Amino acid sequence: MSQPSEFAPGRPVVLRGGTVLTLDDQRRVLDRADVLVTGDRITAVGPDLEVPQDAVVIDASGGIVMPGMIDTHRHMWQTAMRGYGADWTLTQYFVWYYLESGKLFRPQDVHAGNVLAAVEALESGVTTVVDWSHGLRTVDHADAAVDALQSVPGRFVLAYGNIQAPPAEWTAAPEFRDFVRRRITGDDLLGFQLAFDVTGDPAFPEKPAFEVARELGVPVTTHAGVWGATNDDGIKLMHDHGFMTPETVYVHAASLSADSYHRIAATGGSISVSTESEQSAGQGYPPTWAIRAHGIPVSLSMDTSVWWSGDLFSAMRTTLGADRSREHLEAHAKNETVTHASLRAEHVVDWATRGGAHAIGREDLGSLEPGKKADVVLIKNDHSSVSFPLLNPYGHVAFQAQRGDVHTVLVNGRVVKHDHRLVGIDLDAVRREVDETVTYLRTQLGEEAWRKGMNPDIPETKVLDNPYTYTDYASASTHTRS
């Protein structure tokens, strides 16, 4: 994918005159400031910067310049089925992907989903995504996943998983080791994790997989605290065997006890909160209201586009809503009221950037500071009445902005979106690839199963008898008038 000559590799780029959310340690917000990018690094941040004569100047006035957002848990391979499971519960998701139709996905279908998800992320200002890739039934599927990620100019972490086999089995396979040797080569744009869950079986069958992760020196990301699937027993097993580390990422963590949160906090791990998912699917109540008291680092994620949006604006907004709603509910139960919100817009913007960088062990990402990697987003939309006035920049990002307001995106110093359009990406080719996958899956399932999977049964609803409803309203009204 070539770039226009305007954005030729090596040419400096300066974003001029924006409101800059540095997300540095002091959380500085700079008014009418510039961000200069040279090569793959941020070289200067501040007002009225002197820049090289050949620098490309991007007008950021009236906009917000912020670090690229980081999604720490997205099943990218499922994106070709965008919106298909909008009315699913978690049980229906498990049946469709784990027990039935997920087995139909070919390597090329994983490729199609990953390409679409990667492009969607860039368009939304998400510069790094952890591909929680638990559809890798074979190494051919894994190669297809990586091929897709490396075909798109974003930053990704392949979290290798296989829901069709026990973790101890697939991590021990020679072909898995060969894959790691061939494809995980230290590419700065491609990180690596192992992705598997701990069932809570006292025999701890996942132990060999943890040992492989330790041998390879890679983090583990795990769906923890998913009601009815993973619970406190799994956390205790991990802790008792010494496999809870600062690099471990616990996804959802929505139905855990205080004891489990204490163990996560004590061992330095972080929690990836997928609020839209937890609210809708049933893993448990989105946990930020509970884990804030434990001081556990938080990052945000969108889980899967088979249900939900693939942008972190939605994640920030719903996380604020769920946390504040629970805070009010808990107070009302004690006949009290909340007069000051504990979770602020600044916090969720931090979680969407610095929080994600911390979770994946990339302290060179997540803030706009000289020397950091140049993953930068400009939010600006001169054609939208929602773009002004810009009074509270954190509040604007969390509550007002959306993916259509993402004007410019840089990843590793490369401009991948500008003036609201993707740069050097053939969206028609992506569409054709995804259409082929959808046609294949629809044909394999058959039309009846396809429609049934997308439209699960609606439970019967009984409307309460209303004692204030007249059985004959007209006669009652006549009687009243007489």
Side-chain angles (χ1 to χ4, degrees):
M1 296 180 181
S2 62
Q3 283 197 294
S5 57
E6 180 185 8
F7 301 122
R11 188 175 180 185
V13 176
V14 61
L15 296 96
R16 282 278 196 202
T19 297
V20 178
L21 303 183
T22 65
L23 275 298
D24 62 8
D25 290 342
Q26 292 75 42
R27 303 301 193 271
R28 292 179 303 151
V29 178
L30 307 179
D31 188 30
R32 291 189 292 276
D34 311 329
V35 176
L36 175 63
V37 171
T38 307
D40 63 353
R41 301 280 174 172
I42 297 167
T43 49
V45 179
D48 302 318
L49 294 178
E50 290 189 14
V51 303
Q53 285 190 339
D54 64 338
V56 178
V57 179
I58 296 175
D59 179 13
S61 59
I64 297 171
V65 184
M66 62 180 287
M69 289 173 274
I70 299 172
D71 183 327
T72 54
H73 155 243
R74 188 182 304 194
H75 305 299
M76 297 175 71
W77 65 286
Q78 299 174 352
T79 308
M81 297 294 288
R82 183 193 307 285
Y84 182 87
D87 296 317
W88 281 353
T89 62
L90 194 61
T91 298
Q92 286 155 342
Y93 169 82
F94 284 156
V95 169
W96 204 92
Y97 273 112
Y98 285 49
L99 301 177
E100 296 176 353
S101 307
K103 300 174 183 178
L104 298 174
F105 280 68
R106 305 163 298 175
Q108 56 262 50
D109 304 318
V110 170
H111 188 282
N114 271 27
V115 168
L116 180 58
V119 170
E120 174 184 21
L122 295 183
E123 192 167 30
S124 304
V126 179
T127 54
T128 302
V129 183
V130 175
D131 177 19
W132 222 102
S133 197
H134 58 353
L136 307 183
R137 295 189 295 113
T138 70
V139 168
D140 289 341
H141 288 76
D143 277 317
V146 172
D147 288 344
L149 298 179
Q150 293 186 322
S151 73
V152 177
R155 195 182 299 278
F156 305 101
V157 177
L158 179 72
Y160 193 116
N162 178 5
I163 55 176
Q164 303 299 336
E169 179 181 309
W170 59 261
T171 56
E175 57 269 26
F176 167 75
R177 294 302 187 102
D178 178 65
F179 168 85
V180 174
R181 179 188 56 79
R182 288 186 295 105
R183 303 307 300 263
I184 309 305
T185 58
D187 180 353
D188 183 61
L189 295 175
L190 181 67
F192 190 58
Q193 299 176 350
L194 295 191
F196 58 86
D197 297 338
V198 181
T199 62
D201 181 342
F204 197 29
E206 300 84 9
K207 182 180 178 183
F210 279 106
E211 291 171 340
V212 170
R214 179 174 289 171
E215 178 192 341
L216 295 174
V218 299
V220 169
T221 176
T222 183
H223 292 116
V226 175
W227 195 92
T230 56
N231 54 35
D232 295 314
D233 293 337
I235 297 294
K236 186 174 186 303
L237 285 165
M238 290 175 62
H239 189 261
D240 290 349
H241 288 84
F243 291 117
M244 294 179 73
T245 74
E247 296 75 33
T248 308
V249 179
Y250 306 86
V251 176
H252 300 305
S255 54
L256 296 175
S257 67
D259 180 74
S260 288
Y261 292 141
H262 283 311
R263 293 174 192 259
I264 293 172
T267 54
S270 64
I271 292 176
S272 175
V273 176
S274 298
T275 304
E276 278 197 338
S277 178
E278 291 129 21
Q279 283 181 323
S280 181
Q283 293 93 338
Y285 196 90
T288 58
W289 69 279
I291 61 180
R292 282 191 284 108
H294 294 270
I296 299 171
V298 175
S299 62
L300 300 182
S301 59
M302 287 311 305
D303 206 341
T304 172
S305 291
V306 81
W307 258 297
W308 305 290
S309 56
D311 66 90
L312 289 188
F313 297 108
S314 296
M316 289 185 278
R317 192 165 302 152
T318 56
T319 300
L320 278 170
D323 191 292
R324 292 175 177 180
S325 177
R326 186 60 181 256
E327 194 170 29
H328 286 296
L329 185 67
E330 296 290 324
H332 295 172
K334 296 181 287 188
N335 202 29
E336 297 174 355
T337 191
V338 175
T339 58
H340 293 76
S342 298
L343 189 66
R344 315 303 280 253
E346 177 183 349
H347 297 148
V348 295
V349 176
D350 183 280
W351 292 346
T353 53
R354 280 176 64 114
H358 173 77
I360 63 172
R362 291 295 303 260
E363 303 305 332
D364 57 346
L365 304 175
S367 64
L368 301 181
E369 301 175 78
K372 293 287 187 85
K373 285 286 189 173
D375 291 6
V376 186
V377 170
L378 168 61
I379 298 171
K380 177 179 176 176
N381 190 345
D382 292 337
H383 303 289
S384 170
S385 59
V386 184
S387 66
F388 61 88
L390 179 53
L391 306 177
N392 178 344
Y394 286 115
H396 202 94
V397 170
F399 277 127
Q400 306 299 323
Q402 53 188 315
R403 70 175 76 189
D405 298 322
V406 175
H407 180 283
T408 297
V409 179
L410 287 81
V411 179
N412 215 38
R414 176 178 178 176
V415 177
V416 298
K417 183 180 183 181
H418 179 60
D419 200 14
H420 301 280
R421 297 182 67 86
L422 293 165
V423 174
I425 291 174
D426 186 349
L427 204 57
D428 287 335
V430 177
R431 182 180 290 109
R432 289 192 295 271
E433 184 177 356
V434 169
D435 285 347
E436 197 280 329
T437 279
V438 170
T439 299
Y440 161 76
L441 291 171
R442 191 167 189 162
T443 301
Q444 289 294 304
L445 287 170
E447 201 60 30
E448 182 179 353
W450 174 267
R451 281 201 289 266
K452 183 173 176 57
M454 189 164 36
N455 298 284
D457 294 336
I458 302 173
E460 282 190 33
T461 301
K462 176 157 180 10
V463 177
L464 294 174
D465 293 332
N466 189 334
Y468 300 103
T469 303
Y470 290 108
T471 54
D472 187 344
Y473 181 78
S475 63
S477 299
T478 304
H479 178 72
T480 300
R481 288 197 299 271
S482 64

